[in-house]
Amino acid sequence: MRIPCPYCGPRDSSEFTYGGDATRVRPGIDDADPERWLAYVYERDNPKGPHKEFWHHLTGCRQWLVVTRNTATHEISAVEMARDVATDRARGGR
C-alpha cells in the first residue's frame, strides 16, 4: 500500500505507523459518565469500506495524517494533515 504524504509524496506504508480510528471523539474532561469513558477507551468498530484513520509518517516528515482508506480494498481516497482536521473539529466541523 502506498500513502500519498502531502509533504513527501507517495510513500510505502512501511514508513508509517497506524494511529487508530480518526472518527472517535473523546468525552469532555469534565464528563463523569463511566459508560461514555468505557466506550471511548475500549469499544472499537471494525468498519468495512471507507474509513478515516490516523497514520504517523515516522520515517519521513514525522507528520500525523488522517487517511481515508477503504478497509476492504486498501484504496486511499483522501489524505489530510491531522492538525487541519483537529482545527476544523474545534470550529464545529467534522
Side-chain angles (χ1 to χ4, degrees):
M1 182 171 71
R2 297 193 50 87
I3 299 175
C5 176
Y7 286 113
C8 305
R11 296 291 192 257
D12 189 77
S13 62
S14 64
E15 292 187 13
F16 297 81
T17 55
Y18 176 74
D21 184 348
T23 64
R24 299 178 60 74
V25 178
R26 184 179 188 266
I29 195 71
D30 57 346
D31 188 342
D33 183 358
E35 293 300 317
R36 274 195 284 272
W37 280 101
L38 178 77
Y40 174 74
V41 173
Y42 294 108
E43 294 176 6
R44 299 288 184 264
D45 291 330
N46 189 15
K48 183 176 181 180
H51 185 63
K52 290 183 181 248
E53 305 168 327
F54 286 115
W55 286 82
H56 183 216
H57 196 178
L58 189 61
T59 63
C61 61
R62 303 188 60 80
Q63 295 295 311
W64 279 94
L65 309 174
V66 174
V67 176
T68 303
R69 179 179 68 90
N70 186 314
T71 59
T73 65
H74 298 294
E75 177 187 355
I76 295 173
S77 59
V79 177
E80 305 167 87
M81 300 302 298
R83 68 173 168 251
D84 296 340
V85 174
T87 302
D88 289 345
R89 272 193 194 159
R91 291 183 184 149
R94 291 197 130 222

